[in-house]
Amino acid sequence: MASGKVYGGSNMTILLQEERLPSNSEVLKSLWIPSSSSSFQGSKSMVSFENGGKGDSTDGSFFEQLDKDENGDDDYDGCFHQPGKKRRLSTTQVQFLEKNFELENKLEPDRKLQLAKELGLQPRQVAIWFQNRRARYKTKQLEKEYDSLKASFDRLKSDYDNLLKESETLKNEVNSLKEKLVIKEKGSKENLENAEPENPTLKTVSETVSNVVMGVCKQEDASSAKSDVFDSDSPHYAENYCSMLEPADSSHVFEPADHSDFSQDEDDTNNLMSQSLFPPPLPCFPKLEACYYDGTPASSCNFGFQVEDQSFNFWPY
DNA sequence: TGCTCGGGGGCGATTACGTCA
DNA sequence: TGTGACGTAATCGCCCCCGAG
């Protein structure tokens, strides 16, 4: 029990006080027993020792005379007139303890005894001072750590906010570019619908377009598909897709007049193929798209084409 | 060799007192 | 002169370590 450790100090306190006290009145005062306690424990007895120690210079501690000088005779006497009052350590004592604490914040038993002797204090008082000092040091360290962490947090939050703003700006930029691209591709698509492929390259492209259209057709209204998309004379169209449509509806598509229109637009169509159906690679855009528009899976528009054919898939949504 | 017990010390929480504005 | 805030000495309870038996 911790208080048991104090009993020894208290008993010794009484003995030491009895040794030094020259008068009956001082003996009575130093033997004061705290009324609030039923036993010799606590700071009251310790204080009595401390007061006695300061007045006694028999052990030759050089702090004793200093303490007496610092506190003054009035204070010194007052301590005996007010037994049980807790006394603060003198500035000199605290400075000495601080220096020792800087050297080593843990107290070896021998060192404790030596410090106690030099300061005219009880070893337990020295131990308690070191204990409290360690607690204060820890608190200070925690405060420093807290301040440091808070500063770090503030810096990171500031960086995060800046990145958020930058991200928003880039998002808007991507949206703007995307809208432009959609408009451009829409125009290209309309041109493609009016074009009639006559060379093998165009026919191949036309087949590809038909395949794309087929995929789209599965999801769209059949009538809109007939009127808007299924105007190609591709053999694959005739063989594979005519059965899906009503025969009468496709007859008007192959009128001679329309054919002439195709020939007229041939150059435009070739141009369209080179510009729109096979656009130059966009190294950044798909990446950004994957980052910011993940609502649509990257493969959602993949109709099973070769990689180069997937350039059609920029505007399916 | 493992176990128990008691002493000693550290630590966190708390109390009590001194000091100061 | 009273009072609240703050610093600090000291206490209490708990835990861990270590040596003796």
Side-chain angles (χ1 to χ4, degrees):
Chain A
M1 188 175 175
S3 59
K5 301 168 196 169
V6 181
Y7 288 143
S10 301
N11 293 334
M12 188 165 71
T13 297
I14 294 168
L15 288 174
L16 289 170
Q17 287 165 349
E18 286 173 350
E19 282 177 6
R20 66 160 287 280
L21 292 173
S23 66
N24 291 334
S25 62
E26 283 189 343
V27 168
L28 290 174
K29 286 167 187 170
S30 67
L31 284 175
W32 175 82
I33 300 170
S35 59
S36 61
S37 175
S38 60
S39 62
F40 290 105
Q41 70 169 14
S43 59
K44 317 288 186 184
S45 299
M46 306 276 273
V47 169
S48 295
F49 167 79
E50 187 179 343
N51 295 336
K54 281 174 182 169
D56 185 9
S57 59
T58 53
D59 64 349
S61 169
F62 70 92
F63 286 103
E64 290 164 357
Q65 188 59 42
L66 280 174
D67 293 342
K68 192 171 177 178
D69 293 342
E70 283 181 2
N71 295 328
D73 287 340
D74 291 342
D75 191 15
Y76 176 74
D77 291 339
C79 292
F80 284 98
H81 288 299
Q82 296 176 348
K85 288 282 181 73
K86 185 168 69 180
R87 289 296 309 274
R88 292 196 170 215
L89 302 182
S90 71
T91 307
T92 316
Q93 283 172 322
V94 170
Q95 283 175 355
F96 191 77
L97 288 167
E98 285 285 356
K99 281 181 182 176
N100 277 271
F101 184 82
E102 286 175 9
L103 294 175
E104 177 65 53
N105 68 347
K106 288 285 179 71
L107 205 53
E108 297 298 322
D110 292 343
R111 191 157 153 251
K112 179 172 67 178
L113 290 173
Q114 187 183 348
L115 281 175
K117 188 179 178 183
E118 290 191 25
L119 292 169
L121 299 172
Q122 262 200 327
R124 173 149 180 90
Q125 278 182 291
V126 176
I128 287 171
W129 186 89
F130 267 76
Q131 196 167 307
N132 287 325
R133 186 66 182 81
R134 280 194 296 270
R136 288 194 292 270
Y137 177 76
K138 190 177 180 180
T139 304
K140 290 283 180 190
Q141 290 298 109
L142 283 173
E143 285 176 359
K144 278 185 183 177
E145 196 177 342
Y146 171 79
D147 289 342
S148 171
L149 286 171
K150 190 173 184 304
S152 261
F153 171 78
D154 290 341
R155 278 198 303 273
L156 284 172
K157 190 174 183 304
S158 174
D159 289 349
Y160 173 76
D161 289 341
N162 289 337
L163 283 173
L164 217 57
K165 286 178 186 172
E166 194 179 338
S167 165
E168 200 62 33
T169 305
L170 288 172
K171 256 184 186 178
N172 292 335
E173 195 176 335
V174 166
N175 275 336
S176 167
L177 289 172
K178 201 176 172 190
E179 283 175 7
K180 285 180 185 174
L181 188 63
V182 167
I183 292 170
K184 185 181 175 185
E185 294 297 346
K186 222 171 187 176
S188 299
K189 193 177 172 184
E190 287 172 358
N191 287 339
L192 176 64
E193 288 168 358
N194 295 330
E196 181 187 5
E198 290 186 346
N199 56 45
T201 305
L202 285 179
K203 280 186 179 178
T204 306
V205 171
S206 178
E207 288 172 16
T208 309
V209 170
S210 297
N211 288 337
V212 173
V213 165
M214 189 56 202
V216 174
C217 187
K218 289 176 182 175
Q219 302 173 13
E220 289 183 349
D221 185 2
S223 60
S224 68
K226 281 184 294 181
S227 59
D228 297 336
V229 182
F230 284 178
D231 52 358
S232 169
D233 60 349
S234 163
H236 289 287
Y237 168 76
E239 292 171 8
N240 300 329
Y241 306 136
C242 280
S243 60
M244 299 171 65
L245 304 173
E246 296 176 16
D249 290 339
S250 60
S251 60
H252 68 283
V253 175
F254 300 105
E255 290 174 358
D258 288 336
H259 186 77
S260 64
D261 289 338
F262 276 121
S263 61
Q264 264 185 340
D265 295 332
E266 189 174 336
D267 289 338
D268 290 338
T269 305
N270 284 332
N271 202 19
L272 166 71
M273 293 303 165
S274 62
Q275 287 181 1
S276 178
L277 297 183
F278 301 100
L282 297 173
C284 295
F285 185 72
K287 206 171 184 178
L288 289 170
E289 192 177 39
C291 290
Y292 294 113
Y293 300 97
D294 52 356
T296 304
S299 61
S300 65
C301 301
N302 187 340
F303 297 110
F305 299 146
Q306 298 296 320
V307 174
E308 57 267 25
D309 293 334
Q310 296 185 17
S311 59
F312 288 105
N313 302 338
F314 280 111
W315 60 88
Y317 25 87

